[in-house]
């Protein structure tokens, strides 16, 4: 998430001047009693409907019950009783109030605050202003009890496809009926006007293992009561963390609809062997004093500066306080809820370094107890300074202090395609010399390797990952110029065929590198966003994928598909330990000062149990052809000159001096 413009690098490394200074203002919150029982806020059982709100400093609290999700007066207002030992307020009625809605209201500092659905609303009315009482058992699709995501033995086996619900299906060319909805991904057999597969069939054809859906909890920016306005937003403005977003449902007025339809989406993907990863944004909320956190326990859930103002490591006006017990429990229990109720297979933490490593370790550990295949990764940086001490932050540089958590490698990203802050800047794959060593850091997944000189790294100066499973390699995502736009801009003097070649090369580097590969939806068909780098609130005309591209750039798609197939068939690209990489991945000696933009390495001795004895991988990021010396032998050509065929191969080679076309990769295999 990068919605506001900000200087990231400086705060990342230094942590700034105030880092680690716990403000006196925040210190008082540590003395609050906490409560993390499963009955927080709402329980419906045989004895009736029960509420329990955590609000240690409220002077009074009530529950308002409504007939509707919006409008009208409360049909009942129930006073709540305080329990000092755990800071909660409770009340009950003997009936099961399915179909009704409710809000809490607390008196704080002598004043009644605004109504709130609370922080644990699992179903909500339109626009998330009131919590809804529904029977969750009624929202399960048929066969849900046997529903299961793909089994993941090692995180390096995962291939992530990052998508926004509207991007994938809003364009008329998608052929999808439920455009921009959860249900879009349940529609099989959809095609573009020229007959190319779209939607879920497209994902299957490409072969990715997991989709990473942009924020799908209930967010603030889209008016669910006026969907005909077709407002677009990424959704990094959280409102209700434990209910799905209403604008992705076919009927936001019916609280069960968003729940049932999101489950149907998950089930459809699971039925096709595809896992579902949720983008989660616990690091900040859309509102400050008006958020559900502030209206239930004023001040508590956020970090503050000495003067009591909100600190802002998110760049969005506030930052949450995972280092406080009730907030840590909240994050842990919230992801566990999504894993249990919605069978979610992974979580991508936005601005993860706003959270502390202790919280993230708990997240991964407790999720693993539910399902060992759950993959957790995040942005190992903040967007501004934080009062949290640098050594406690879940930073990229601290990833080795965490277990079963991965971070994005901005090293590979910026080195391959050029820096994200400068649209014109080129990278290794587009002819800029001097980035070879940083690309190698990505290739070895930021693990210690005898042939990689970290002092020459552009972003990181040390081997920060103690295992390749801690690294997600990528060259683009929803943030910044997407790959196509970056190439169109930085290579504007060159023909499109060169841009297409560079895209293939760049993605080949991602898919052959150790760690977990991650790609942005639509790049396999050369999707662009009309040069808009921060498209979070731009219309569908900027964001929606035009599926006509799939026939126009079919060759590009086939190449990406080949990369996915190559990686899935060959464990050599998916090693699971630093030692294995150091032993089996051997770089060829190339003098970058004489032949820049050339990297050559071998994966040797049936690495990680691979059927191929040796794999030779060579990248030429230069605008001219370059030669490379390949040892003599019987090689199968797997990829060359922008073509790839991991199964049958493209022919044979005897080694010796081989030539790579400009912006291209050569992959050879020895049986
Ligand atoms: Ca919403």
């Amino acid at each position: 998430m990068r919605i506001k413009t900000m200087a990231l690098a400086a705060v990342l490394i230094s942590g700034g001047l105030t880092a680690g200074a716990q403000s006196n203002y925040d210190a008082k919150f540590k003395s609050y009693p906490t409560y993390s029982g499963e009955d927080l806020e709402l329980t419906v059982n045989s004895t009736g409907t029960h509420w329990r709100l955590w609000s240690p400093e409220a002077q009074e609290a009530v529950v308002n019950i409504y007939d509707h999700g919006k409008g009208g007066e409360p049909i009942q207002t129930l006073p709540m009783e305080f329990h000092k030992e755990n800071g909660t307020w409770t009340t009950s009625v003997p009936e099961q109030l399915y179909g009704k809605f409710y809000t809490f209201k607390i008196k704080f500092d002598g004043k009644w605050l605004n109504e709130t659905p609370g922080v644990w609303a699992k179903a909500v009315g339109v626009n998330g202003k009131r919590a809804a009482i529904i029977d969750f058992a009624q929202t399960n699709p048929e066969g849900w009890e046997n529903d299961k995501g793909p089994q993941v033995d090692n995180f390096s086996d995962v291939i992530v496809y990052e998508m926004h619900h509207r991007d994938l299906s809003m364009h008329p060319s998608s052929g999808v009926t439920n455009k921009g909805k959860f249900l879009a991904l349940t529609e099989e057999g959809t095609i573009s006007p020229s007959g190319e597969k779209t939607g879920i069939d497209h994902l299957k054809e490409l072969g990715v293992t997991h989709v990473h859906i942009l924020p799908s909890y209930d967010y603030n920016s889209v008016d669910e009561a006026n969907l005909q306005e077709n407002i677009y937003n990424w959704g990094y403005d959280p409102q209700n963390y434990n209910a799905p977003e209403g604008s992705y449902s076919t009927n936001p007025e019916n609280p069960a609809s968003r729940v049932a339809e999101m489950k149907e989406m998950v089930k459809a993907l699971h039925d096709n062997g595809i896992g579902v990863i949720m983008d989660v944004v616990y690091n900040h909320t859309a509102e400050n004093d008006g958020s559900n956190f502030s209206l239930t326990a004023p001040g508590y859930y956020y970090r503050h500066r000495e003067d009591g103002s909100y600190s802002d490591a998110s760049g969005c006006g506030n930052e949450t306080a995972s280092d406080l017990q009730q907030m840590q429990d909240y994050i842990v229990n919230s992801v566990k809820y999504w894993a249990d109720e919605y069978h979610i297979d992974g979580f991508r933490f936005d601005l993860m370094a706003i959270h502390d490593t202790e919280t993230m370790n708990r997240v991964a550990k407790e999720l693993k107890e539910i399902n060992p295949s759950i993959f957790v990764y995040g942005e190992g940086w903040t967007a501004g300074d934080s009062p949290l001490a640098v050594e406690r932050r879940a930073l990229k540089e601290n990833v080795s202090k965490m277990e079963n958590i991965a971070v994005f490698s901005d090293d590979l990203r910026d080195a391959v395609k050029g820096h994200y802050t400068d649209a014109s800047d080129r990278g290794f794959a587009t002819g800029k010399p001097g980035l070879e060593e940083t690309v190698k850091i990505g290739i070895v997944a930021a693990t210690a390797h005898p042939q990689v000189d970290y002092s020459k790294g552009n972003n990181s100066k040390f081997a920060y990952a103690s295992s390749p499973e801690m690294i997600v390699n990528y060259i683009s995502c929803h943030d910044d110029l997407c790959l196509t736009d970056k190439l169109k801009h930085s290579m504007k003097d060159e023909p499109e065929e060169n841009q297409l070649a560079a895209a293939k090369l760049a993605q080949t580097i991602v898919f052959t590198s150790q760690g977990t590969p991650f790609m942005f939806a639509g790049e396999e068909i050369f999707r662009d966003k009309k040069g808009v780098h921060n498209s979070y609130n731009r219309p569908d005309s900027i964001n929606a994928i035009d599926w006509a591209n799939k026939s126009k750039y079919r060759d590009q798609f086939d190449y990406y598909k080949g990369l996915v197939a190559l990686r899935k068939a060959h464990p050599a690209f998916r090693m699971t330990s630093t030692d294995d990489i150091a032993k089996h991945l051997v770089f060829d000696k190339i003098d970058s000062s004489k032949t820049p933009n050339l990297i050559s390495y071998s994966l040797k001795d049936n690495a990680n149990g691979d059927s191929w004895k040796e794999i030779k991988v060579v990248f030429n990021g230069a605008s001219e052809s370059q030669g490379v010396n390949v040892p003599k032998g019987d090689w199968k050509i797997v990829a060359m000159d922008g073509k790839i065929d991991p199964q049958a191969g493209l022919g044979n080679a005897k080694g010796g001096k081989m030539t790579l076309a400009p912006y291209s990769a050569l992959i050879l295999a020895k049986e």
Side-chain angles (χ1 to χ4, degrees), residues 218-219 224 245:
D218 180 37
Y219 59 78
E224 299 173 4
E245 162 59 15

Side-chain angles (χ1 to χ4, degrees), residues 127-128 218-220 222 224 239 245-247 258:
N127 283 324
D218 180 37
Y219 59 78
N220 193 47
V222 171
E224 299 173 4
Q239 184 171 292
E245 162 59 15
S247 66
R258 59 182 81 192

Side-chain angles (χ1 to χ4, degrees), residues 424-465:
S424 309
D425 189 40
R426 291 200 182 197
F428 170 85
T430 48
K432 186 177 177 180
L435 296 162
E436 296 80 7
E437 213 63 25
T438 310
V439 173
K440 286 185 193 173
I441 292 174
I443 292 171
V444 301
T447 58
H449 189 281
Q451 292 174 290
V452 177
D453 182 356
Y454 277 83
S455 73
K456 293 183 185 155
N458 259 16
N459 295 21
S460 305
K461 300 288 184 192
F462 72 105
Y464 55 90

Side-chain angles (χ1 to χ4, degrees), residues 444-445 447 465-471 514-516 575-578 581:
V444 301
T447 58
S466 55
S467 153
E469 295 188 85
M470 292 177 172
I471 295 298
Q514 304 298 319
T516 302
M575 285 186 260
T576 57
S577 79
T578 301
I581 297 173

